[in-house]
């Protein structure tokens, strides 16, 4: 048992130096992004935001306003990625596609949908893993932009969230589908764990 603990401790200290670790990390992250639904990633974002509440309110003793600002700044990019994924899920879902399109075009739509959902999920998972792996360091350092103006990236993220919400609200009329179809797609994506 002491040998196993010593090996695990050595791995923990040297894992960043091992190319095999980075390759395995990348493969596992991509597989998780492909297999898990967007609901699982929404849960990761909510967990991250809960950690941010503890970080800013309890650990740093910030006011409620600054706590909310910290939570938004820390998770804004991930929420924007989630909105991109949800938009791709709805607009490229087979139930929304025109029934008369050919099989080849349907397979191309499936590939576009996969790219539009897997890439955001991969980035959300990668960001979440960095936070949870280095949670002590994460808790000790507040976001450097709290109380300052929004950066261009943050503004683009806000615009992406607003555009994503508008695209989801307008999906049924734009695609000629029932609202219940759109809500069903979103409900399935957000409540199931695996595809």
């Amino acid at each position: 048992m002491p040998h196993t603990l010593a090996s695990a401790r050595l791995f923990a200290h040297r894992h960043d130096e091992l190319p095999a670790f980075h390759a395995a990390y990348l493969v596992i992250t991509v597989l998780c992004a492909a297999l898990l639904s967007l609901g699982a990633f929404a849960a990761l974002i909510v967990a991250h935001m809960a950690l941010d509440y503890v970080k800013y309110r309890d650990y740093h003793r910030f006011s409620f306003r600054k706590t909310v600002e910290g939570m938004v700044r820390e998770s804004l990019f991930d929420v924007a990625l989630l909105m991109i994924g949800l938009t791709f899920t709805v607009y490229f879902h087979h139930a929304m596609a025109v029934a008369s399109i050919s099989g080849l075009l349907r397979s191309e739509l499936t590939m576009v949908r996969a790219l539009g959902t897997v890439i955001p999920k991969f980035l959300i998972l990668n960001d979440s893993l960095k936070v949870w792996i280095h949670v002590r360091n994460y808790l000790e350092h507040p976001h450097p932009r709290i109380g300052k103006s929004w950066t261009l990236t943050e503004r683009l993220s806000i615009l992406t969230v607003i555009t994503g919400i508008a695209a989801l609200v307008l999906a049924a009329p734009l695609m000629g589908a029932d609202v219940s179809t759109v809500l069903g797609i979103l409900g399935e994506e957000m409540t199931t764990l695996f595809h």
Side-chain angles (χ1 to χ4, degrees):
M1 188 67 172
H3 177 66
T4 305
L5 287 174
S7 296
R9 179 177 233 155
L10 181 64
F11 174 76
H13 288 289
R14 295 210 162 154
H15 70 276
D16 281 337
E17 302 168 10
L18 301 171
F21 173 78
H22 292 285
Y25 172 84
L26 183 64
V27 168
I28 290 170
T29 306
V30 169
L31 283 174
C32 288
L35 295 175
L36 295 174
S37 70
L38 283 166
F41 293 91
L44 272 177
I45 293 169
V46 168
H48 184 176
M49 292 179 92
L51 180 66
D52 287 336
Y53 182 84
V54 170
K55 173 182 176 177
Y56 291 111
R57 192 74 173 156
D58 296 341
Y59 194 80
H60 291 287
R61 307 259 185 235
F62 281 16
S63 68
F64 184 73
R65 189 192 74 70
K66 284 198 171 196
T67 298
V68 170
E69 181 185 347
M71 291 169 64
V72 169
R73 285 185 185 268
E74 298 280 3
S75 297
L76 184 58
F77 188 67
D78 289 341
V79 172
L81 290 169
L82 180 68
M83 291 309 301
I84 290 169
L86 286 172
T87 303
F88 270 81
T89 296
V90 168
Y91 278 84
F92 293 100
H93 193 274
H94 62 84
M96 298 292 280
V98 179
S100 63
I101 62 175
S102 71
L104 181 61
L105 185 56
R106 260 184 262 165
S107 66
E108 288 175 3
L109 288 177
T110 302
M111 290 301 296
V112 170
R113 179 179 180 222
L115 285 174
T117 58
V118 171
I119 292 171
K121 291 189 291 186
F122 171 80
L123 294 171
I124 292 167
L125 183 58
N126 193 37
D127 183 48
S128 295
L129 288 173
K130 285 179 188 174
V131 167
W132 293 105
I133 288 172
H134 304 289
V135 71
R136 178 183 294 258
N137 185 45
Y138 179 77
L139 287 173
E140 290 173 356
H141 297 90
H143 195 284
R145 304 258 335 139
I146 290 181
K148 297 179 181 173
S149 63
W150 297 96
T151 65
L152 179 61
T153 303
E154 290 170 332
R155 288 185 204 158
L156 288 173
S157 294
I158 292 168
L159 183 62
T160 300
V161 170
I162 292 168
T163 304
I165 291 169
L168 292 175
V169 168
L170 296 172
L174 287 176
M175 299 296 287
D178 293 332
V179 173
S180 61
T181 302
V182 174
L183 293 176
I185 293 168
L186 289 172
E188 179 184 330
E189 189 66 34
M190 296 304 286
T191 58
T192 59
L193 183 59
F194 293 102
H195 287 285

